[in-house]
Amino acid sequence: SLYGHKLPVQAIDISTDETLIATGSADKNIKLWGLDFGDCHKSIFAHDDSIMQVRFVPNTHYFFSASKDRTIKYWDGDTWEQIQKFEGHHGEIWSIAMSRDAEVIVSAGHDRSFRLWERTDEQIFIEEEREKHLDRLFETGLEEDSKKYEKESETASTRTVESVQASERLIESLELAHQELEIHRAFEKDLELYNQSKTEKESGEVSTIDKIFSKIEKPLAPPPNPLLLGKSPSDFLLQAFQTIRANDLDQALMLIPFSDIPKLLFFLDDWIKSGKSLELCCRSLFLMLQMYGTHISANHMVIDTIRSLEHNAKQKLRLTKDLMGFNLAPLQYLKSDLKQRQEMASFFDLAEKVESVRKRRKISAFEEVEFLH
């Protein structure tokens, strides 16, 4: 038995000469063990997430590791150095397989794609790979700093005249849409009772409902409200929501009375379920949960709405994520193909220029010889 990992071991492989064993764990470490005495040669902090698989290259001590951090890494089991890093998956990598001659590697991931990696004749220099890795880390650090500053600037936003006006428009639109929705609900309820009473009369059954509603006529549909501009209450409120600037959205939501929050949650659930302005709806939902999370959880009147929001938001976000991953993969391929074509075009342009210069030199030399004759 071999002990050393802090979390469960999820991957294991043995070299062809049966002298090394590599183990990958959920603690993000790879451990190399000697099979002669069972001692741990080296523990490597290999990935930023759980390691799902390790595979030795046949007849060598080189091996590959795949992780949930969406990367595959190539290692030297004797020097314990990282040789190369492969990026391309848009989701967690679950498994890798290798051909017998180690010329081809296939990886499969949570993004529902297979990726095929082929060995090339290009030489790899470890120092250059280290420099590339450091450059990527530096660029990632700059991006994280900029995102942090953007987040700080957003949270430090102050109330402005525009945000107050946007909040007032939103409250008025919400009240109007809610009133129209209640009118339509009352009409549907009366129509249902009327149809039920009519059905029982036609069947010849005498009931309490027949006696009560025998003299009630068919309810008339409510006339359209001209303030809604020919839209449904939900679409009218969504249009008012979309007119709010992104910088004023958080302040506009903060100025809404808590008594109107359940009404707004109902409309958000309707929009998310219909797939309308999903990004705007989710952002508004998260902002309201951050501001009123404690009060909302204590309000038993909105529990069903919150459960519906959770189900619909998860479903729509999962579909959007899958769609983005599905579209991103061919876009990345088109990008690399376009880059390769541009490099080839620049190469051919350079070759044409060199050929034209050579022709000019030949013509000038010929003219000079002809002049001497």
Side-chain angles (χ1 to χ4, degrees):
S1 299
L2 304 175
Y3 299 93
H5 284 288
K6 297 178 181 179
L7 292 175
V9 176
Q10 301 184 133
I12 185 172
D13 197 22
I14 301 175
S15 61
T16 307
D17 56 5
E18 298 182 353
T19 59
L20 281 181
I21 179 172
T23 58
S25 168
D27 60 7
K28 310 172 187 178
N29 290 312
I30 293 176
K31 291 185 181 293
L32 294 170
W33 314 78
L35 285 178
D36 44 3
F37 299 105
D39 57 329
C40 180
H41 291 180
K42 185 67 175 178
S43 180
I44 308 171
F45 184 77
H47 291 271
D48 297 329
D49 207 335
S50 302
I51 298 169
M52 302 303 294
Q53 201 156 19
V54 291
R55 280 287 180 268
F56 272 102
V57 177
N59 303 319
T60 69
H61 285 176
Y62 299 110
F63 65 93
F64 291 89
S65 63
S67 169
K68 285 185 177 180
D69 63 0
R70 309 177 184 182
T71 61
I72 300 173
K73 294 185 178 181
Y74 186 33
W75 304 87
D76 188 341
D78 294 326
T79 61
W80 312 317
E81 290 183 336
Q82 177 185 323
I83 300 175
Q84 202 169 4
K85 180 180 179 181
F86 305 96
E87 297 176 326
H89 278 279
H90 305 297
E92 302 171 356
I93 300 177
W94 288 343
S95 63
I96 54 175
M98 190 184 308
S99 61
R100 293 183 178 179
D101 55 1
E103 293 293 326
V104 176
I105 298 175
V106 179
S107 59
H110 183 61
D111 56 359
R112 304 179 183 181
S113 68
F114 290 97
R115 294 193 176 271
L116 188 141
W117 312 85
E118 296 181 348
R119 183 192 296 271
T120 62
D121 297 330
E122 182 181 357
Q123 292 185 348
I124 298 175
F125 299 94
I126 297 179
E127 292 297 330
E128 291 183 0
E129 294 296 324
R130 286 178 181 172
E131 290 179 0
K132 292 179 181 178
H133 179 63
L134 292 175
D135 291 340
R136 283 195 295 266
L137 289 177
F138 178 72
E139 293 174 358
T140 304
L142 291 178
E143 291 179 359
E144 291 179 354
D145 291 341
S146 63
K147 290 180 180 178
K148 180 178 69 174
Y149 294 143
E150 289 176 1
K151 186 176 180 181
E152 290 177 354
S153 63
E154 288 176 0
T155 54
S157 60
T158 57
R159 185 182 303 179
T160 61
V161 177
E162 290 79 6
S163 62
V164 175
Q165 292 176 350
S167 177
E168 292 175 352
R169 291 195 303 269
L170 183 59
I171 294 173
E172 292 174 0
S173 302
L174 178 60
E175 190 66 27
L176 180 59
H178 180 69
Q179 290 177 1
E180 285 296 317
L181 188 63
E182 290 296 326
I183 293 173
H184 284 280
R185 285 177 176 173
F187 166 72
E188 291 174 358
K189 184 177 180 180
D190 294 342
L191 184 62
E192 183 181 357
L193 290 174
Y194 172 79
N195 291 332
Q196 183 179 355
S197 175
K198 184 178 178 181
T199 303
E200 291 182 355
K201 284 181 179 180
E202 292 176 353
S203 61
E205 298 178 359
V206 179
S207 64
T208 306
I209 296 178
D210 291 333
K211 295 178 181 179
I212 296 174
F213 296 98
S214 58
K215 298 181 180 180
I216 296 179
E217 298 180 355
K218 182 178 180 181
L220 299 176
N225 193 332
L227 296 177
L228 296 181
L229 305 176
K231 300 179 182 294
S232 65
S234 179
D235 293 339
F236 173 75
L237 182 59
L238 178 60
Q239 184 180 11
F241 225 89
Q242 292 172 339
T243 57
I244 302 175
R245 296 190 309 175
N247 296 333
D248 299 330
L249 182 61
D250 54 347
Q251 288 295 329
L253 292 175
M254 288 179 64
L255 295 174
I256 296 178
F258 181 73
S259 58
D260 290 337
I261 294 299
K263 305 174 187 175
L264 187 55
L265 289 175
F266 172 81
F267 284 106
L268 283 174
D269 184 35
D270 181 47
W271 298 335
I272 292 176
K273 187 176 180 180
S274 303
K276 299 176 181 178
S277 299
L278 186 61
E279 182 179 355
L280 176 62
C281 294
C282 289
R283 184 188 172 194
S284 303
L285 176 61
F286 297 151
L287 286 172
M288 285 192 293
L289 291 177
Q290 289 176 359
M291 293 185 290
Y292 305 109
T294 305
H295 303 285
I296 291 175
S297 60
N299 190 346
H300 299 286
M301 302 295 292
V302 296
I303 290 179
D304 293 337
T305 306
I306 292 297
R307 289 176 178 172
S308 179
L309 275 167
E310 180 185 8
H311 172 73
N312 293 329
K314 283 184 178 179
Q315 184 180 13
K316 293 297 181 181
L317 288 174
R318 190 180 298 112
L319 292 174
T320 305
K321 179 183 176 183
D322 293 343
L323 180 63
M324 291 176 63
F326 182 78
N327 292 336
L328 191 58
L331 288 175
Q332 293 285 355
Y333 173 77
L334 291 175
K335 179 182 176 182
S336 60
D337 184 58
L338 180 61
K339 183 178 179 181
Q340 185 177 4
R341 291 187 180 184
Q342 290 176 347
E343 292 176 354
M344 293 295 294
S346 61
F347 172 77
F348 287 127
D349 291 341
L350 182 61
E352 290 178 359
K353 290 180 180 179
V354 172
E355 188 66 24
S356 63
V357 170
R358 287 179 179 176
K359 289 181 178 179
R360 290 176 184 174
R361 289 181 179 177
K362 289 181 179 179
I363 292 172
S364 60
F366 176 76
E367 290 176 348
E368 184 178 357
V369 172
E370 186 178 9
F371 176 75
L372 290 176
H373 282 286

